[in-house]
Amino acid sequence: MLETFKSRWEIQKNWQLLFPVLGIIGLGYSAYKLTLIFTKPYSIFVTIIVAILLFFVLLKLTLLIFKKLEHKWILDYKWEMIRVFIVFAITGSSSMYVGRPIMKLIGITKENLNPFIYWVLFIIIGLIFYQILLVAFGWLFGQFKFFWAFEKKMLKRFGLGKLIK
C-alpha cells in the first residue's frame, strides 16, 4: 500500500513522505477547526464525526484541485504539489499575522479609522506581506524557482511588472 502511494505521488526518497504527512495533518486540523465553528453546542462525539466527514470532503476537493493543476503548474514531481499547497497555506496565514502588528505600529486601528477604510488597508498591507512571504516560504520549502515565477506573474497582473526586471 505504501509503495502504491509512493509510486502515485512520484516519491523516490522516504524524507519526501514528510509533505503528504504534513498535508494530511493540516487538512485534519482545518477540518476540525471548521467543524468547531458549527458544532460548538454539540458533544465532542458529534464534532469528531462531522470533522471526519469534512476531512474526507476536503481531501476529495484537494485531490480534484491537484488533478486540475498538475498540468498547469510545472513541477518535477507530483509530491511537490503538496509542498506548494503547504507554502500557500502558511503564507496566507502568516501575512495576516504579520500585517496586524504592523498596522498597530503605524497607528492604524479599528477605533481610530472608518471600518471600511481599516479593512481595505488591512487587505492591502496583508497583500504586500503576502508577496514577500510567498517567495521567502517558497525558498524555505525548496520551491523558490516556482514561487518566483508565480510572483512575477502575479505582479504583472497587478500592473507592477516593471518592478521586477
Side-chain angles (χ1 to χ4, degrees):
M1 187 168 131
L2 183 61
E3 289 306 315
T4 307
F5 179 83
K6 287 169 79 173
S7 159
R8 180 178 175 187
W9 286 96
E10 300 173 346
I11 294 173
Q12 291 85 32
K13 297 186 169 86
N14 286 335
W15 68 266
Q16 295 166 342
L17 285 167
L18 173 69
F19 297 106
V21 168
L22 284 175
I24 289 170
I25 290 170
L27 200 61
Y29 178 74
S30 298
Y32 178 72
K33 292 299 273 188
L34 285 170
T35 301
L36 279 179
I37 294 169
F38 302 108
T39 63
K40 231 175 198 169
Y42 300 105
S43 71
I44 190 72
F45 178 72
V46 171
T47 301
I48 290 171
I49 297 297
V50 173
I52 290 169
L53 292 172
L54 184 58
F55 170 80
F56 284 108
V57 169
L58 290 175
L59 182 61
K60 285 286 190 190
L61 179 64
T62 302
L63 292 173
L64 179 69
I65 293 169
F66 279 179
K67 197 163 214 56
K68 293 205 180 272
L69 291 174
E70 84 179 298
H71 299 293
K72 187 175 181 178
W73 289 352
I74 301 165
L75 297 165
D76 295 330
Y77 303 103
K78 285 184 181 178
W79 66 268
E80 290 180 311
M81 290 188 68
I82 299 167
R83 189 161 60 171
V84 166
F85 270 61
I86 290 170
V87 169
F88 279 124
I90 292 171
T91 303
S93 303
S94 300
S95 65
M96 293 300 129
Y97 285 116
V98 171
R100 195 165 277 136
I102 296 296
M103 287 182 65
K104 274 188 182 172
L105 186 70
I106 58 177
I108 300 172
T109 64
K110 292 178 194 174
E111 290 78 30
N112 68 4
L113 205 56
N114 177 308
F116 178 76
I117 295 172
Y118 172 84
W119 286 109
V120 168
L121 288 172
F122 183 74
I123 290 168
I124 290 169
I125 289 171
L127 273 172
I128 291 168
F129 283 103
Y130 183 84
Q131 308 309 312
I132 296 164
L133 291 171
L134 188 63
V135 175
F137 284 125
W139 176 76
L140 283 173
F141 277 79
Q143 290 295 125
F144 177 80
K145 186 176 152 187
F146 174 85
F147 283 104
W148 182 240
F150 190 88
E151 185 63 34
K152 287 192 281 188
K153 193 185 307 181
M154 191 182 311
L155 288 173
K156 284 178 187 172
R157 286 182 182 156
F158 288 150
L160 302 170
K162 294 177 183 172
L163 295 175
I164 48 159
K165 291 215 177 193

